[in-house]
Amino acid sequence: MSTTLLAPALLSQATAAASAQAPDALRAQREAGARAFEQLGLPTTKVEDWHYTSVASLADASFVPMNGDASGVTAEQLAPYLFSTSWPTLVFVNGVHAPSLSTIDALPDGIRVLPMAQAMTTLGDQVARQLGTAAPADRDGFTALNASFLGEGAVVHVAKEMVVDTPVHLLFVTTDKGVGGMQHPRVLLYAERHAKATVIESWVGLTDGAYFSNPVAEVMVEDGATLNHLKIQREGRQAYHVSTIEARQGRDSHYVSFCFTTGGQLSRTNIYTVLDGEGCGTTLNGLTMLDGEQHGDVQTRIEHAKPNCFSRQIYKSILDDTSHGVFNGKVFVRDIAQQTDGKQTNNTLLLSKTAQVDAKPQLEIYADDVKCTHGATVGQIDQTALFYMKSRGIDADMSRQLLTYAFAAETLETIENETIRDELEGVTMRRFTSSD
Amino acid sequence: MLEIRDLHASVDGTPILKGITLTVNAGEVHAVMGPNGSGKSTLAQVLAGHPAYEITGGEMLYNGENLAEMDAEVRAQQGVFLAFQYPVEIPGVSNAYFLRAAYNAKRKAQGLDEVDPMEFLDLVEEQLKLVDMDPAMLHRSVNAGFSGGEKKRNEILQMAVLTPSLAILDETDSGLDIDALRIVANGVNALKRPENATILVTHYQRLLNYIVPDYVHVLAGGRIVKSGGKELALELEARGYDWLLEAVA
């Protein structure tokens, strides 16, 4: 018995069509993607990493490539998701770059932000060489699918030693016009030596209809560079969202990821990084808040490939109604990666008796002189804390709301950029307390 | 103000309080002392309404009303305050927000208008001086990352803002160095009024050098085994608890 579905027929047809129509520079990549997808198909729950997340309903759906129809989308509609109107923002509507809604004319020094199509023309080989390096097409069915539709997305490049304080925002929006569609954008983030920058990748659904987002981000953090990468997933209630982030890190670099998840009927985020230079580190934090029948899965994999590297992870979930959360955190320490310092924390707050979580920390350690810890908790609101609030006269409902917010705030507080932190704290506070 | 009559309470079916009788009048300071496990912290928690404790007998009357029938938040709104032995950390909720929520909850219960953040800051700034706290502490998360001393001072700040009629201080002195102890004690003394009362739950006599009680009660095995004036505390300091326990046994 194969452990994967055969590639669903409709998707295979679509990948073949995409290869046939590919521009020259992308033809080889798309063909490789289509071939890999034909081989791999979509994973079943028999695949270990997909044990708790079934994509069977996705395989049965018949999504067609989105056509980028941005008609009727206004700046006002996007405003609530922008963080700041003064930040360079590249907007994609229904799978395609929307120049009229984007604001990337006045970029800070040292940073380039390009839609993928333009990057292919102006940077050509430089981009082609990077595509598929960190996230090869044959990694799994979803990266294969993404590769077979290669063409949309963005390239962010930070020149060496440039410290860019202003965040760059990549905003992917789906509207009613994108219902029934799928999008496979590729994002390349490249921070050269000793550069520092912040990139936000937002996924927003302005529709209650079903669609499928399948982005892949490839991240290069060269020696001494620091890259803050925030993935804010607020897809529509019926959306499918499967995304993979693959980072490669050089010596003394720092990759800082924050993964904020509230959207989608079924979402899965894979964050993988390879600590491939001495003294580098990664911080992967996240907050998932689900209700109704939502299913949200976060998987991390940190490969310690060189000595003296650190990794820090704090992932929290707040699950209500019959929602289902999954967290799987893998830390892989190679035999030469001595003095590795790894710490993983995963806490889940269940707000209802029917919400469910599957949390699995996985440590695979082949070096003998390392410090790796992990801890996972699943619980309800702490009764002592609840009593503390009530003993100050605050009523039970409000006490519960504030404590729920407090649980979330502990991860949000780790976001370095104040504007982003304040905004997400506000979103979270309103979610639980209906006030600011 | 407070009349406790033959109070019995248990946790998870285990009896802890086995017949406490105690009367506290307005203007009085009572110290409740006793060895570890005597039930003195339980008494404090039961008075404040901790849901883990079950009242199995007797009664607690607060201004003539049955405390046991009130939820913890109602007791607080009516003027009962418990300073926690281990104040709880609430990351992400600022001290200012928390204090104002508590203050407004009490005002609302009294039928008064809520105060807005600016009004409240004016009000709380006065109280900060009382416990020698930096105004910056208002904008930090409640107790998160506070030192032991800061947490206890924060409890007294809450007490100063909420102006309770009946303040119960549960081992507020434990873990404090002498400077922090003085600050906390000065705060409590400054808040003393003829119309309010204080119950100090403590293991050590040290606190009572700074907050002088009118009455001292010794708790052992869930009962008050001896009551006296402030000199009883000094005797306990000199002789320990054993002589009393032996006398009771």
Side-chain angles (χ1 to χ4, degrees):
Chain A
M1 264 299 277
S2 163
T3 54
T4 55
L5 291 175
L6 283 180
L10 270 166
L11 282 175
S12 287
Q13 279 172 29
T15 58
S19 298
Q21 298 154 13
D24 288 345
L26 295 172
R27 187 179 310 275
Q29 302 265 5
R30 284 199 190 175
E31 282 174 359
R35 273 197 310 275
F37 183 67
E38 202 59 38
Q39 291 270 312
L40 295 164
L42 296 177
T44 69
T45 52
K46 287 175 189 157
V47 178
E48 196 190 355
D49 284 354
W50 290 87
H51 186 63
Y52 299 111
T53 297
S54 167
V55 293
S57 59
L58 175 60
D60 290 341
S62 50
F63 294 114
V64 297
M66 288 184 186
N67 64 7
D69 184 351
S71 56
V73 178
T74 62
E76 289 71 44
Q77 276 178 295
L78 303 184
Y81 305 98
L82 283 186
F83 296 102
S84 166
T85 50
S86 63
W87 294 351
T89 304
L90 199 56
V91 178
F92 298 78
V93 176
N94 297 323
V96 179
H97 172 226
S100 64
L101 294 164
S102 301
T103 49
I104 52 164
D105 310 325
L107 286 171
D109 285 345
I111 192 161
R112 278 188 289 187
V113 181
L114 300 166
M116 184 61 78
Q118 194 187 332
M120 292 300 297
T121 335
T122 56
L123 302 173
D125 279 358
Q126 278 187 52
V127 172
R129 264 202 309 276
Q130 289 303 323
L131 290 170
T133 309
D138 59 0
R139 175 177 243 299
D140 64 31
F142 290 101
T143 53
L145 205 52
N146 179 282
S148 70
F149 287 100
L150 215 53
E152 271 302 334
V155 174
V156 178
H157 181 272
V158 197
K160 69 174 182 185
E161 290 168 23
M162 297 305 294
V163 174
V164 184
D165 293 324
T166 309
V168 168
H169 193 182
L170 311 175
L171 173 58
F172 297 85
V173 179
T174 302
T175 70
D176 286 336
K177 303 236 166 59
V179 171
M182 59 180 176
Q183 56 179 335
H184 307 274
R186 180 72 59 109
V187 171
L188 286 187
L189 307 180
Y190 203 112
E192 286 190 1
R193 277 184 295 131
H194 298 289
K196 186 177 181 192
T198 297
V199 177
I200 310 163
E201 204 190 311
S202 275
W203 296 88
V204 168
L206 299 177
T207 175
D208 289 328
Y211 60 94
F212 171 36
S213 301
N214 178 39
V216 170
E218 297 185 84
V219 181
M220 297 288 172
V221 194
E222 283 196 342
D223 294 357
T226 298
L227 186 71
N228 288 294
H229 182 194
L230 295 105
K231 191 198 154 204
I232 315 296
Q233 195 269 84
R234 293 184 271 188
E235 298 271 30
R237 297 288 300 190
Q238 292 303 318
Y240 293 86
H241 178 99
V242 178
S243 89
T244 295
I245 295 168
E246 279 271 16
R248 295 291 177 273
Q249 298 185 235
R251 191 185 170 102
D252 299 317
S253 66
H254 193 188
Y255 175 62
V256 186
S257 152
F258 194 92
C259 181
F260 183 89
T261 302
T262 58
Q265 63 164 303
L266 187 158
S267 72
R268 159 82 169 225
T269 300
N270 304 311
I271 302 175
Y272 305 127
T273 185
V274 182
L275 305 178
D276 205 11
E278 264 204 63
C280 70
T282 191
T283 304
L284 309 180
N285 294 340
L287 173 64
T288 297
M289 298 184 285
L290 305 175
D291 56 20
E293 296 177 350
Q294 287 181 294
H295 178 103
D297 181 346
V298 174
Q299 307 261 322
T300 64
R301 183 182 193 277
I302 298 169
E303 181 178 336
H304 284 266
K306 293 280 156 52
N308 294 304
C309 297
F310 71 89
S311 57
R312 294 284 178 274
Q313 300 185 75
I314 305 172
Y315 280 89
K316 292 204 174 198
S317 304
I318 301 176
L319 307 175
D320 203 351
D321 303 327
T322 56
S323 62
H324 183 187
V326 180
F327 176 76
N328 188 352
K330 240 183 252 180
V331 178
F332 181 87
V333 182
R334 291 203 181 179
D335 54 1
I336 63 157
Q338 300 294 359
Q339 307 295 325
T340 286
D341 178 3
K343 191 171 183 205
Q344 179 187 98
T345 308
N346 171 229
N347 306 122
T348 304
L349 179 62
L350 298 174
L351 298 181
S352 80
K353 287 194 170 70
T354 46
Q356 187 188 339
V357 65
D358 289 291
K360 191 168 73 164
Q362 268 182 287
L363 303 184
E364 261 186 72
I365 301 172
Y366 297 96
D368 53 18
D369 186 13
V370 303
K371 191 170 75 185
C372 282
T373 63
H374 67 82
T377 64
V378 178
Q380 281 84 36
I381 283 180
D382 178 45
Q383 290 302 311
T384 306
L386 190 61
F387 173 56
Y388 186 65
M389 307 217 46
K390 288 167 69 176
S391 78
R392 298 300 178 255
I394 302 172
D395 71 42
D397 279 349
M398 190 179 181
S399 296
R400 267 193 203 93
Q401 290 167 355
L402 282 175
L403 289 170
T404 304
Y405 170 75
F407 178 86
E410 213 179 351
T411 60
L412 295 171
E413 278 176 353
T414 65
I415 297 172
E416 187 184 291
N417 182 284
E418 198 181 341
T419 307
I420 305 171
R421 185 176 63 235
D422 285 354
E423 173 67 19
L424 294 180
E425 283 179 350
V427 166
T428 306
M429 183 65 118
R430 286 191 292 278
R431 182 183 178 99
F432 295 114
T433 67
S434 62
S435 80
D436 294 294
Chain B
M1 173 177 295
L2 178 69
E3 254 194 283
I4 305 174
R5 292 186 198 135
D6 195 29
L7 182 69
H8 287 68
S10 58
V11 61
D12 294 330
T14 308
I16 310 283
L17 302 184
K18 299 168 185 169
I20 303 265
T21 297
L22 176 67
T23 301
V24 177
N25 297 308
E28 294 175 353
V29 176
H30 288 244
V32 174
M33 302 185 71
N36 291 329
S38 58
K40 56 190 193 298
S41 273
T42 297
L43 177 62
Q45 306 255 349
V46 165
L47 286 171
H50 195 297
Y53 298 94
E54 192 194 349
I55 313 275
T56 51
E59 59 181 358
M60 305 176 283
L61 297 177
Y62 171 66
N63 294 331
E65 287 190 68
N66 187 354
L67 260 190
E69 283 175 6
M70 298 181 205
D71 281 336
E73 62 267 39
V74 177
R75 296 184 203 192
Q77 289 158 11
Q78 303 285 328
V80 177
F81 179 88
L82 171 66
F84 277 48
Q85 182 178 4
Y86 302 109
V88 176
E89 297 189 7
I90 311 172
V93 176
S94 76
N95 239 341
Y97 185 98
F98 178 67
L99 275 170
R100 188 164 63 89
Y103 184 72
N104 278 334
K106 187 173 181 184
R107 286 184 62 91
K108 215 170 132 188
Q110 291 170 338
L112 299 168
D113 286 341
E114 299 190 1
V115 297
D116 66 34
M118 293 315 291
E119 281 176 82
F120 184 71
L121 276 183
D122 288 344
L123 182 149
V124 82
E125 257 169 31
E126 279 305 301
Q127 315 295 349
L128 280 168
K129 292 174 199 152
L130 191 71
V131 284
D132 196 21
M133 256 169 82
D134 185 339
M137 301 284 274
L138 287 177
H139 304 291
R140 285 174 54 185
S141 296
V142 181
N143 293 327
F146 284 26
S147 70
E150 285 172 338
K151 283 182 182 171
K152 296 297 174 77
R153 270 147 69 184
N154 207 23
E155 293 292 283
I156 305 306
L157 174 68
Q158 292 172 21
M159 179 175 151
V161 168
L162 296 173
T163 58
S165 311
L166 175 65
I168 306 149
L169 280 65
D170 187 9
E171 310 245 4
T172 296
D173 51 330
S174 64
L176 292 187
D177 64 30
I178 198 70
D179 293 330
L181 182 70
R182 266 197 206 112
I183 292 169
V184 164
N186 287 343
V188 174
N189 287 331
L191 294 169
K192 199 177 159 189
R193 301 279 181 279
E195 64 274 12
N196 61 28
T198 308
I199 298 176
L200 302 168
V201 173
T202 181
H203 186 76
Y204 304 105
Q205 186 270 338
R206 184 180 66 151
L207 176 67
L208 308 182
N209 291 335
Y210 298 93
I211 308 173
V212 181
D214 300 300
Y215 300 95
V216 174
H217 310 278
V218 180
L219 219 63
R223 290 188 190 88
I224 291 175
V225 294
K226 194 168 178 64
S227 294
K230 62 185 177 209
E231 63 290 344
L232 176 56
L234 295 170
E235 196 176 353
L236 288 168
E237 181 72 4
R239 298 176 65 188
Y241 289 109
D242 287 348
W243 62 280
L244 260 177
L245 301 185
E246 279 159 23
V248 176

